Amino acid sequence: MRKSYRVKTEQDFQKVFQAGNSFANRKFVVYVLPKEQSHFRVGLSVGKKVGNAVKRNEIKRKIRASLTEMKPRIEPAVDFIVIARPSIATCSSKEIYSNLEHVLKLAKIIH
C-alpha cells in the first residue's frame, strides 16, 4: 500500500471514529466514513493485547497483503479503520483474509 492509501494523522483517525459507522466480527472491528475522493484510504490498529511488536507487525503485514488482493473490489469513496482483536494472533494468512473479507462485506466496502 502506498502512503496515499493510508489514514495517517490522529485527526483523520478521530474523524472516522466519531462520524463513521462501525461493523464487527470475531476478529476485526471496522469503522467506515464515506468521503468524496478518488481512492479509498485505510488505517490499521493492532493493540498490545495481540502480542509483542514483532507479532503486531506481522499481523499488519498480513492485513495489508489481504487489502492489496482485495483492492480492485474496494469502494473508492471511503476512509476506513481496521482494528484487529486479540484473537487474531493465532490466525493464518488465509484466515485473516477470509475474516477481513467478511467484515468488509458487512460494512459494504467490498462487493
Side-chain angles (χ1 to χ4, degrees):
M1 288 272 156
R2 290 192 321 237
K3 284 190 178 180
S4 62
Y5 283 88
R6 296 191 190 155
V7 176
K8 293 184 287 283
T9 66
E10 178 66 22
Q11 197 173 19
D12 287 344
F13 267 84
Q14 290 305 319
K15 278 183 195 171
V16 176
F17 285 136
Q18 290 168 0
N21 296 322
S22 66
F23 302 88
N25 64 9
R26 291 176 187 238
K27 305 293 182 188
F28 295 104
V29 178
V30 173
Y31 286 85
V32 183
L33 181 64
K35 290 188 103 176
E36 291 298 321
Q37 56 198 13
S38 60
H39 59 79
F40 69 90
R41 294 190 316 159
V42 62
L44 299 179
S45 176
V46 182
K48 288 186 177 183
K49 288 183 180 179
V50 173
N52 63 14
V54 175
K55 188 65 177 175
R56 293 194 306 269
N57 286 326
E58 176 189 345
I59 299 296
K60 286 189 270 189
R61 276 195 310 275
K62 289 178 181 179
I63 293 170
R64 279 192 210 104
S66 297
L67 288 169
T68 303
E69 281 185 50
M70 295 178 206
K71 190 174 172 181
R73 299 166 45 204
I74 295 176
E75 181 71 34
V78 294
D79 280 359
F80 63 100
I81 308 291
V82 177
I83 302 170
R85 291 189 164 165
S87 60
I88 200 75
T90 59
C91 292
S92 67
S93 295
K94 285 184 180 180
E95 291 172 317
I96 288 175
Y97 182 90
S98 64
N99 280 295
L100 188 58
E101 184 178 41
H102 174 257
V103 76
L104 292 180
K105 281 182 181 177
L106 286 176
K108 294 181 175 61
I109 294 173
I110 60 174
H111 323 79

